[in-house]
Amino acid sequence: RSHPLSTERMADMQARIPGTGAAATSTPADAEHPLIAARARVLSNPAVDALRHWVQEAEPTRLARQPAALQAGVLYAATLAASRLRSFEQTDALSQRLREAARSDARAARQVRLLLAEIALVRGNAAQAMVELGPQGSSRSRAELLLAVQAQLALGRADAASQSLQTWLADNAGDAQAWQWLARTAAAQGRTVASIRAEAEVNIAQLDYAAALARLKAAQDMARSDPKAGDHFEASIVDTRARQVEQLLREQALER
């Protein structure tokens, strides 16, 4: 009470903390952050008027008023918004400006490539999406993996998509979205039992054990009634997972 926190005292304390004060303000800003923030703004408000607003913000006269560090973010938001409006001529023009604005920073350029791959998929151009994603490799991130899987499915390469997903899920078994895409790739390959089992894994990742058990039992019935729907190895996995989920359901009931 005798030493209130005045603005002078707060400024003095901030100056004493490492990573703040004059030294921090002189540090270059992260060029990737404005792009991620722009994406969040567009996705959080998908109304048509809001999307048109983001596109208008990228007009040259308006963009010139923005700080140079934020201009790439404005262009990112406008490009994504234009694609959501299905105004692809605007999207093409904005994407070229965005690519140029982010060219000097590797991380920002990567975010731009991911966005353009996403837009290419929306436009039904899976081959262009694969070009934007670049060569495949073990260092591919989750975002690149899921976009590549969608492109491979569109190009009729379900085998390659399935292999990539299985490798990812071996280390990330709780990734519900990856399991969902694996279910689609298995269905595209005609592996019905594997597809149903992958859908059950989605439910397991979401802790919906009752729905998972229902799907696993459906997969068991399918394996028994139609041998062509899956092989013995897949059927064995389904049986094992069904027993595990039954145990999880019993434990869940006891906790309640």
Side-chain angles (χ1 to χ4, degrees):
R1 291 178 182 177
S2 61
H3 294 81
L5 284 176
S6 64
T7 56
E8 290 81 4
R9 286 176 57 79
M10 286 189 287
D12 178 63
M13 284 186 285
Q14 288 175 346
R16 293 167 184 261
I17 299 173
T20 62
T25 56
S26 64
T27 303
D30 181 4
E32 188 180 28
H33 179 265
L35 276 62
I36 301 299
R39 181 178 182 85
R41 288 195 299 271
V42 175
L43 295 182
S44 64
N45 190 357
V48 172
D49 289 342
L51 295 177
R52 288 174 178 164
H53 168 74
W54 298 124
V55 173
Q56 291 169 357
E57 285 295 305
E59 292 177 358
T61 52
R62 291 192 181 187
L63 187 64
R65 300 173 194 159
Q66 295 285 345
L70 300 180
Q71 290 183 7
V74 174
L75 288 168
Y76 185 104
T79 305
L80 178 57
S83 70
R84 292 300 175 97
L85 290 168
R86 314 291 292 186
S87 178
F88 293 126
E89 288 187 6
Q90 275 187 315
T91 304
D92 290 337
L94 288 165
S95 65
Q96 292 300 320
R97 294 169 61 195
L98 172 60
R99 200 191 294 270
E100 184 63 31
R103 189 183 300 277
S104 60
D105 186 272
R107 293 174 64 187
R110 173 180 170 272
Q111 291 298 329
V112 172
R113 289 195 301 271
L114 290 175
L115 173 63
L116 298 184
E118 177 186 347
I119 292 172
L121 287 171
V122 170
R123 299 174 71 170
N125 192 346
Q128 180 60 34
M130 293 298 291
V131 171
E132 295 291 348
L133 292 170
Q136 299 183 31
S138 58
S139 61
R140 173 166 287 182
S141 70
R142 180 179 183 273
E144 290 162 330
L145 167 70
L146 295 182
L147 286 170
V149 164
Q150 295 175 59
Q152 288 167 336
L153 276 175
L155 293 169
R157 303 175 190 168
D159 292 346
S162 178
Q163 185 176 357
S164 299
L165 286 168
Q166 287 173 344
T167 301
W168 172 263
L169 287 166
D171 297 322
N172 303 274
D175 191 336
Q177 189 176 11
W179 280 114
Q180 188 64 64
W181 280 110
L182 184 60
R184 297 185 188 185
T185 61
Q189 294 172 295
R191 299 165 54 226
T192 309
V193 172
S195 177
I196 299 174
R197 180 232 162 179
E199 290 175 352
E201 296 289 355
V202 174
N203 297 131
I204 294 171
Q206 295 170 343
L207 306 181
D208 189 351
Y209 300 131
L213 184 59
R215 290 187 183 278
L216 289 169
K217 288 185 178 298
Q220 288 175 321
D221 293 340
M222 179 70 70
R224 284 192 290 265
S225 63
D226 184 6
K228 295 181 180 179
D231 55 27
H232 176 71
F233 180 73
E234 190 65 45
S236 299
I237 295 175
V238 170
D239 292 340
T240 301
R241 292 299 279 157
R243 290 192 295 270
Q244 292 172 343
V245 172
E246 285 175 345
Q247 179 62 30
L248 290 170
L249 267 174
R250 286 193 290 269
E251 293 174 0
Q252 195 177 64
L254 289 174
E255 290 175 358
R256 293 176 181 174

